[in-house]
């Protein structure tokens, strides 16, 4: 703080440390209840050379009410490195006395600054949790682990409990320029800051770290900007694995090409075994139109379906599953690789996302029927991998016979079309899902069809932020489905 400001201040508050929130809170209460304006106060920490005024006691009959949210946020912001933060927080408290809704005014400059400081502290806390690397010193009863970390803000004390929970069974010390945290297995102690030379040199575990990092590095998924956003270069100097990063980036294209070259060119043997076990050899003639009276019988008949050529390469027919009297039926596109092997719909990566979002929307999957517009997996072989291939209109039309029979037997109140293929099968024509997403279309037979995306679309989004946004949109769709189920 500038000396001129110190001289103008009527009251000087000396806090015990950079993160002395209890001291700040007590002083702020005394100042506010005695109507001492923010510009009359200077705030100092122990290293400062200044006189200390005795603050007046809080007036016993004075009432100071501030939102609980402000207390929580102030406790975070006091960890920020801005030396003006103590006065800034007191100014906010001063304003809250006459502006009780101040925290909800997003356009206010002070609130924008508060939010920015909060984010900076939270980001620093997250990075510390991600990038602290312990080094082992001592052996036997003297064994302990020491780490060096350089945070931007005063977060060591606030973050220490996380490391106690994570490494309860270890004896460890985290050193930083601002403070140190020491856990002896029973007691956590916060001490003064240290220098990097106080931390131990490289140990044997760092070679293990590098080996681990090198093996989990996937060159085919490398995105340099995204990686540097999550792992900023300023942390690299203290990360043992960071020394590998430049070479891994430089060789990523070559490594990805090598991965593709190593892929085999024939399907894995277990595909044929699963097919032989679960799917009997079809007869020579096309399947005869079945007269199934329930879903289990229809499922058995579908095992021999030859209505289109897709049966030739698929492992087995993947039929729908769920209660025969379900109120809602979810219809996807076609089975994927894992569904083809398991013989069950929505058990692969897209199915797991689907289940997770249904849980969030409080829709019990056990009470809904889940199936696909096309019952056989259509794919293009690429080495050992079988790459999903979109079914064409003829294949969709051929398989619609089975879907219609499922709907006839279940008689749901609502059908959810997950993606364009499902919508085309249910409505008999192609519809623009992106434009009609969230719409409910009533068919000529009275069945309501809700339109939304297929959950695999979320999997294909590369940017994490966009992926989270799309997940939220799909969750919103599922909540609307839940409302329609109750209607």
């Amino acid at each position: 703080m500038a000396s001129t400001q110190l001289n103008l201040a009527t009251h000087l508050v000396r806090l015990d440390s950079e993160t002395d929130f209890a001291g700040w809170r007590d002083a702020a209460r005394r100042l506010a209840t005695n109507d001492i304006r923010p510009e009359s106060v200077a705030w100092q920490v122990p290293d400062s050379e200044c006189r200390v005024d005795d603050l007046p006691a809080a007036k016993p009959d004075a009432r100071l009410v501030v939102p609980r949210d402000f207390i929580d946020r102030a406790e975070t912001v006091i960890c920020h490195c801005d030396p003006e933060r103590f006065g800034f927080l007191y100014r906010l408290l001063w304003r809250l006395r006459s502006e009780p809704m101040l925290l909800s005014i997003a356009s206010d400059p002070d609130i924008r600054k508060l939010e920015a400081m909060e984010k900076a502290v939270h980001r620093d806390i997250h990075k510390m949790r991600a990038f602290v690397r312990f080094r082992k010193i001592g052996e036997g009863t003297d064994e302990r682990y020491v780490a060096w970390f350089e945070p931007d803000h005063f977060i060591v004390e606030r973050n220490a409990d996380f490391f106690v929970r994570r490494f309860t069974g270890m004896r460890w010390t985290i050193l930083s320029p601002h403070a140190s945290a020491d856990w002896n297995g029973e007691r956590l102690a916060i001490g003064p800051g240290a220098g990097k030379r106080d931390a131990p040199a490289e140990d044997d575990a760092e070679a293990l770290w590098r080996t681990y990092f090198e093996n989990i590095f996937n060159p085919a998924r490398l995105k340099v900007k995204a990686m540097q956003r999550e792992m900023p270069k300023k942390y690299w100097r203290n990360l043992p694995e960071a020394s590998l990063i430049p070479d891994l980036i430089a060789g990523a294209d070559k490594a990805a090409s090598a991965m593709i070259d190593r892929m085999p060119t024939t399907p894995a043997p277990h595909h044929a075994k699963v097919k032989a076990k679960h799917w009997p050899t079809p007869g020579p003639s096309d399947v005869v139109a079945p007269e199934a009276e329930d879903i289990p019988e229809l499922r058995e008949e579908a095992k021999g379906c030859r209505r289109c050529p897709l049966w030739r390469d698929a492992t087995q027919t993947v039929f729908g599953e769920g209660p025969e009297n379900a109120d809602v039926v979810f219809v996807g596109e076609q089975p994927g690789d894992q569904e083809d092997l398991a013989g069950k719909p929505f058990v692969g990566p897209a199915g797991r996302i689907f289940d997770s979002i249904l849980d969030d929307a409080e829709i019990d999957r056990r009470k809904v029927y889940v199936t696909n517009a096309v019952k056989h997996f259509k794919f293009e072989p690429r080495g050992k991998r079988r790459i999903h291939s979109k079914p064409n209109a003829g294949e969709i039309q051929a398989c619609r016979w089975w879907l219609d029979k499922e709907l006839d037997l279940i008689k749901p109140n609502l059908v959810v079309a997950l993606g364009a293929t499902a919508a085309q099968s249910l409505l008999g024509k192609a519809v623009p899902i992106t434009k009609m997403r969230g719409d409910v279309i009533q068919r000529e037979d009275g069945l309501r069809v809700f339109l939304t995306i297929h959950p695999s679309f979320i999997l294909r989004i590369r940017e994490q932020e966009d992926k989270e946004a799309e997940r939220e949109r799909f969750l919103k769709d599922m909540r609307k489905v839940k409302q329609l189920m109750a209607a």
Side-chain angles (χ1 to χ4, degrees):
M1 182 171 290
S3 58
T4 52
Q5 288 178 280
L6 290 176
N7 294 333
L8 291 173
T10 306
H11 299 275
L12 300 177
V13 180
R14 186 175 186 270
L15 301 175
D16 288 342
S17 71
E18 296 282 5
T19 56
D20 181 15
F21 181 70
W24 176 87
R25 188 175 181 177
D26 177 64
R29 180 174 179 78
R30 293 181 183 215
L31 295 164
T33 56
N34 284 281
D35 293 328
I36 297 174
R37 299 186 62 83
E39 55 268 27
S40 300
V41 184
W43 301 80
Q44 299 293 331
V45 288
D47 291 340
S48 304
E49 295 180 358
C50 67
R51 64 188 179 85
V52 180
D53 278 0
D54 291 332
L55 295 179
K59 290 184 177 178
D61 55 343
R63 189 164 179 263
L64 178 62
V65 178
V66 295
R68 176 68 220 181
D69 184 37
F70 171 73
I71 301 300
D72 294 338
R73 299 174 74 175
E75 195 168 8
T76 298
V77 170
I78 208 166
C79 298
H80 198 279
C81 64
D82 185 346
E84 306 293 335
R85 63 193 181 284
F86 307 114
F88 168 67
L89 290 173
Y90 181 59
R91 185 170 77 242
L92 278 179
L93 183 142
W94 180 267
R95 290 185 61 189
L96 281 168
R97 299 196 317 168
S98 57
E99 302 173 68
M101 301 304 294
L102 175 62
L103 294 180
S104 62
I105 304 175
S107 59
D108 185 276
D110 278 347
I111 300 304
R112 292 206 304 272
K113 180 177 179 180
L114 180 73
E115 291 175 348
M117 295 173 80
E118 267 187 303
K119 287 182 180 178
V121 171
H122 284 307
R123 191 182 306 115
D124 210 27
I125 287 174
H126 171 73
K127 297 303 183 189
M128 180 177 176
R129 295 177 180 182
F131 298 136
V132 158
R133 298 287 185 267
F134 287 106
R135 289 170 173 167
K136 179 183 172 183
I137 60 173
E139 296 291 342
T141 57
D142 294 329
E143 179 183 290
R144 65 184 302 107
Y145 293 83
V146 181
W148 168 255
F149 187 72
E150 300 173 51
D152 292 333
H153 305 287
F154 302 102
I155 59 166
V156 172
E157 183 174 1
R158 186 176 177 84
N159 224 359
D161 284 342
F162 168 84
F163 290 93
V164 170
R165 294 193 299 273
R166 175 67 65 87
F167 303 106
T168 304
M170 289 170 38
R171 293 193 304 158
W172 52 259
T173 302
I174 299 176
L175 304 174
S176 84
H178 306 309
S180 61
D182 181 83
W183 171 249
N184 65 3
E186 297 178 353
R187 182 183 58 82
L188 175 67
I190 303 299
K196 188 174 182 179
R197 287 180 297 180
D198 298 320
E202 178 177 336
D203 64 3
D204 294 340
E206 299 201 357
L208 183 63
W209 258 112
R210 283 191 283 269
T211 302
Y212 170 74
F213 187 79
E214 196 170 20
N215 281 275
I216 64 169
F217 180 78
N218 187 342
R221 294 185 176 180
L222 175 63
K223 294 185 177 181
V224 177
K225 289 184 178 179
M227 184 191 70
Q228 292 182 354
R229 189 166 56 244
E230 294 301 318
M231 186 188 283
K233 282 189 172 181
K234 65 180 181 180
Y235 298 108
W236 288 18
R237 61 180 178 270
N238 295 319
L239 297 176
E241 67 271 28
S243 61
L244 301 173
I245 293 176
D247 288 342
L248 291 174
I249 293 176
D253 290 340
K254 186 177 179 180
S257 299
M259 286 175 58
I260 294 173
D261 292 341
R262 287 196 298 270
M263 290 182 176
T265 56
T266 57
H270 67 275
H271 291 165
K273 292 180 180 178
V274 174
K275 181 176 180 179
K277 179 178 179 181
H278 295 288
W279 191 13
T281 303
S285 60
D286 287 343
V287 68
V288 177
E291 296 295 337
E293 296 182 353
D294 55 31
I295 291 294
E297 188 177 343
L298 189 65
R299 181 181 293 111
E300 286 300 314
E301 292 172 347
K303 289 180 179 177
C305 179
R306 290 185 178 182
R307 287 179 171 271
C308 76
L310 293 183
W311 66 272
R312 297 180 187 278
D313 296 320
T315 303
Q316 56 189 311
T317 303
V318 180
F319 208 69
E321 67 174 15
E324 293 184 56
N325 60 348
D327 286 334
V328 60
V329 171
F330 288 88
V331 181
E333 182 186 69
Q334 63 153 341
D337 183 82
Q338 294 187 29
E339 286 83 2
D340 174 73
L341 296 175
K344 293 178 175 294
F346 284 82
V347 295
R352 288 192 285 276
I353 284 187
F354 179 61
D355 287 349
S356 169
I357 297 177
L358 284 191
D359 282 344
D360 291 348
E362 299 181 345
I363 297 176
D364 189 346
R365 177 165 168 174
R366 295 169 301 179
K367 296 181 179 179
V368 302
Y369 188 89
V370 181
T371 190
N372 283 300
V374 175
K375 312 299 187 190
H376 286 125
F377 179 34
K378 182 178 181 181
F379 61 92
E380 296 176 2
R382 191 174 300 170
K384 279 187 177 178
R385 302 175 63 197
R386 302 187 299 172
I387 306 300
H388 164 273
S389 181
K390 187 178 178 66
N392 60 38
E395 292 155 352
I396 295 171
Q397 179 59 31
C399 219
R400 184 180 179 183
W401 191 93
W402 296 104
L403 179 59
D404 285 345
K405 291 295 291 183
E406 287 178 290
L407 298 177
D408 285 345
L409 292 170
I410 296 171
K411 295 182 171 51
N413 293 322
L414 177 71
V415 176
V416 180
L418 301 170
T421 298
Q424 183 175 348
S425 178
L426 289 163
L427 302 176
K429 61 180 180 181
V431 294
I433 290 296
T434 52
K435 290 183 179 179
M436 300 179 67
R437 180 177 186 173
D439 288 353
V440 179
I441 298 176
Q442 189 163 12
R443 303 198 314 187
E444 291 183 357
D445 61 359
L447 182 61
R448 296 179 301 164
V449 178
F450 181 89
L451 302 177
T452 184
I453 61 161
H454 193 281
S456 62
F457 175 67
I458 300 173
L459 285 176
R460 294 195 294 270
I461 299 175
R462 295 185 175 182
E463 297 295 334
Q464 188 60 33
E465 187 176 345
D466 295 340
K467 180 176 290 191
E468 289 297 325
E470 190 55 47
R471 189 186 188 282
E472 285 299 312
R473 291 185 66 195
F474 190 67
L475 175 58
K476 185 178 179 181
D477 288 345
M478 293 302 101
R479 286 175 173 154
K480 189 172 180 181
V481 168
K482 184 176 175 63
Q483 293 175 350
L484 292 170
M485 290 168 64

